[in-house]
Amino acid sequence: MFRKKAIVKGSYDRENQKPVIRSSICTGEQVAGFKNIHTGEFIDIMLIRNTKDMDEFIDKYGILSDEITKE
């Protein structure tokens, strides 16, 4: 009757973007997204509240945990 919601696979431009976690200095709020290597533009994807959210972001985009940088 109740099923787990299926994770839809996403994609990003691996040549021009890199996965980044932005963290607020004041509140500690973390946002996962992608930063354009050439322009520095950040595209936010989702709010990270716990490790489950982080795992969902990694699984959805097929990212290795060592590829993600923090800012």
Side-chain angles (χ1 to χ4, degrees):
M1 186 165 140
F2 296 105
R3 294 184 184 179
K4 186 176 179 181
K5 188 176 179 181
I7 296 175
V8 178
K9 294 289 182 180
S11 64
Y12 68 100
D13 185 3
R14 294 180 186 269
E15 292 179 14
N16 296 319
Q17 295 177 331
K18 66 178 182 176
V20 174
I21 302 294
R22 278 203 168 167
S23 182
S24 171
I25 295 172
C26 299
T27 62
E29 179 181 77
Q30 294 183 339
V31 177
F34 298 101
K35 183 175 182 180
N36 188 313
I37 297 169
H38 306 293
T39 64
E41 178 186 6
F42 181 76
I43 301 169
D44 58 336
I45 302 296
M46 65 184 297
L47 180 66
I48 304 295
R49 292 175 290 220
N50 52 32
T51 56
K52 183 180 176 185
D53 291 338
M54 178 64 90
D55 293 339
E56 182 181 331
F57 176 69
I58 289 171
D59 291 341
K60 183 174 183 177
Y61 291 96
I63 302 169
L64 299 175
S65 59
D66 60 340
E67 288 181 306
I68 300 174
T69 58
K70 282 195 173 187
E71 291 186 348

